[in-house]
Amino acid sequence: MEKQVWKPGAMLNPVPVVMVSCGSISQKTNIITIGWTGTICTIPPMLSISVRKSRFSHALIKDSGKFVVNLVSQPLVRAADWCGVKSGRDFDKFAEMGLTAVKAVTSNCPVIDESPVNIECTVSQIIELGSHDLFIANIDSVSVSQDLIDSSTGAMDLKKANLAAYCHGEYMALGSQIGKFGFSVRKKKKGN
Amino acid sequence: MEKQVWKPGAMLNPVPVVMVSCGSISQKTNIITIGWTGTICTIPPMLSISVRKSRFSHALIKDSGKFVVNLVSQPLVRAADWCGVKSGRDFDKFAEMGLTAVKAVTSNCPVIDESPVNIECTVSQIIELGSHDLFIANIDSVSVSQDLIDSSTGAMDLKKANLAAYCHGEYMALGSQIGKFGFSVRKKKKGN
């Protein structure tokens, strides 16, 4: 395949797009939209977010050691984009976007009620990398919308959440399912 | 919104799904499929991958300090799934999947030629977290398929790559574009 060699850049795609809520439900709250995030460990469950020092949320998260990763459904993409562009120094982002701040299960951090999945986290380590600081965090609790759960089986169908992804500057809907993990080695069922 | 509180778990979704190639083009090569990856810094450009110590690729990456993140287009999803399930101790994954190993621009690491975008990396730090070790890496070079680049403008259209995402155990195609970064604050053009 013919390729062009480019200078180094952040070209991993697609990445998640999440709204990180932080601060304290009884004092200042804020929301920062983040694409530089990822799961980093299964046991214990851990994730990371990368935040510029200049961002208003940086100090809020550093001071409390707590934040919540709120997954972004398609109806929340406009709010996510706005929260990624505007600063919490100038706006009450919950109020401006008509979002509801609910107290987290495990801390005084605000959770975005309208998000279908809230992942509550505690910072364990902050690593200075350059433009961004890497916040390494343990996952303390996960809250899942009842709408995603089959009431008879208890199984969750995350496709019902219509989550968005971020790909090279664009918010994208998820499309069709290509296969489940392990499909390449699964034996086909006999008959029909 | 009514929510169920779950125990902590890796619930960040969707996440990237990438094929990480490693080893040396002139000796042993391998491919490991990874969803626990993310961009962690813009300047300098950096990303992380998380790998279990038991994985064959763990030692290859640790020893050489080099790996390549190969983005996964939809036609590569079956190979990605297979490379995530099988071990390089038992198979030559390039040969088994009919993939072409090409030497990286900046190291002796193999690159998957069939992948539309190859991101060459050097490990700067390894952090033991639990089930997974976090490999923090600098991005050294990016190679992009000529097919994604408009020959007259030089602009890249990553949508042409038909990249896949990973969401709660399922490989998903990317669907329609919801909006570009900043769309929530962009002024509408006057007239039509």
Side-chain angles (χ1 to χ4, degrees), chain A residues 1-4 6 40 42-43 50 81 113 118 131 142 144 146 159 169-171 173 175 178-179 181-182 184, chain B residues 1-4 6 36 40 43 50 81 113 118 131 142 144 146 159 169-171 173 175 178-179 181-182 184:
Chain A
M1 196 182 274
E2 211 185 332
K3 299 254 171 84
Q4 269 190 12
W6 287 16
I40 56 175
T42 305
I43 303 169
S50 288
D81 183 63
D113 191 44
N118 318 110
S131 60
V142 175
V144 177
Q146 205 78 47
K159 281 195 287 295
E170 301 185 3
Y171 305 96
I178 302 168
F181 177 77
S184 66
Chain B
M1 195 181 274
E2 211 185 332
K3 300 252 171 86
Q4 270 190 11
W6 287 16
W36 292 178
I40 57 174
I43 304 169
S50 288
D81 184 63
D113 191 43
N118 318 109
S131 60
V142 174
V144 177
Q146 205 78 46
K159 281 196 285 296
E170 301 185 2
Y171 305 96
I178 302 167
F181 177 78
S184 66

Side-chain angles (χ1 to χ4, degrees), chain B:
Chain B
M1 195 181 274
E2 211 185 332
K3 300 252 171 86
Q4 270 190 11
V5 177
W6 287 16
K7 65 178 199 289
M11 273 294 291
L12 178 64
N13 282 293
V15 293
V17 53
V18 300
M19 284 195 277
V20 170
S21 50
C22 54
S24 167
I25 192 86
S26 55
Q27 296 167 27
K28 179 67 189 173
T29 64
N30 198 30
I31 301 169
I32 178 172
T33 301
I34 286 185
W36 292 178
T37 179
T39 298
I40 57 174
C41 192
T42 305
I43 304 169
M46 299 178 74
L47 58 74
S48 73
I49 60 171
S50 288
V51 185
R52 288 177 190 268
K53 277 198 174 64
S54 59
R55 300 297 297 256
F56 184 62
S57 294
H58 187 286
L60 289 179
I61 297 171
K62 194 175 176 186
D63 289 350
S64 70
K66 303 281 183 182
F67 64 89
V68 178
V69 169
N70 304 273
L71 301 192
V72 171
S73 57
Q74 291 178 39
L76 289 175
V77 166
R78 179 169 287 270
D81 184 63
W82 194 90
C83 289
V85 173
K86 298 293 183 179
S87 173
R89 292 187 187 92
D90 308 319
F91 296 98
D92 176 339
K93 293 188 183 179
F94 276 96
E96 292 286 335
M97 291 294 104
L99 298 172
T100 313
V102 174
K103 189 194 157 303
V105 176
T106 59
S107 74
N108 284 319
C109 207
V111 158
I112 302 176
D113 191 43
E114 288 78 3
S115 163
V117 177
N118 318 109
I119 306 169
E120 303 183 11
C121 301
T122 298
V123 178
S124 67
Q125 199 176 341
I126 303 173
I127 302 177
E128 298 187 339
L129 296 176
S131 60
H132 290 69
D133 284 359
L134 178 69
F135 288 75
I136 291 177
N138 285 283
I139 298 172
D140 300 321
S141 179
V142 174
S143 296
V144 177
S145 167
Q146 205 78 46
D147 295 344
L148 306 179
I149 298 165
D150 186 309
S151 55
S152 55
T153 65
M156 181 182 69
D157 182 0
L158 198 54
K159 281 196 285 296
K160 285 186 184 165
N162 292 318
L163 297 177
Y166 191 67
C167 191
H168 201 57
E170 301 185 2
Y171 305 96
M172 306 292 290
L174 292 184
S176 55
Q177 195 228 66
I178 302 167
K180 294 194 180 192
F181 177 78
F183 79 101
S184 66
V185 296
R186 205 157 288 138
K187 287 189 179 67
K188 289 194 178 76
K189 283 179 188 162
K190 286 179 185 173
N192 47 355

Side-chain angles (χ1 to χ4, degrees), chain A residues 73-165:
Chain A
S73 57
Q74 291 178 40
L76 290 175
V77 166
R78 179 171 288 271
D81 183 63
W82 194 89
C83 290
V85 173
K86 299 292 182 179
S87 173
R89 292 187 188 93
D90 307 321
F91 295 99
D92 176 340
K93 293 189 183 178
F94 276 96
E96 292 285 336
M97 291 294 103
L99 297 172
T100 313
V102 173
K103 190 194 157 303
V105 176
T106 59
S107 74
N108 285 319
C109 206
V111 158
I112 302 175
D113 191 44
E114 288 79 4
S115 163
V117 177
N118 318 110
I119 305 169
E120 302 183 12
C121 301
T122 298
V123 178
S124 67
Q125 199 176 341
I126 303 174
I127 302 176
E128 298 187 338
L129 296 175
S131 60
H132 289 69
D133 285 358
L134 178 69
F135 289 76
I136 292 177
N138 285 282
I139 298 172
D140 300 321
S141 180
V142 175
S143 296
V144 177
S145 167
Q146 205 78 47
D147 295 345
L148 305 179
I149 297 166
D150 186 309
S151 55
S152 55
T153 64
M156 181 182 69
D157 183 0
L158 197 54
K159 281 195 287 295
K160 286 185 183 165
N162 292 318
L163 296 177

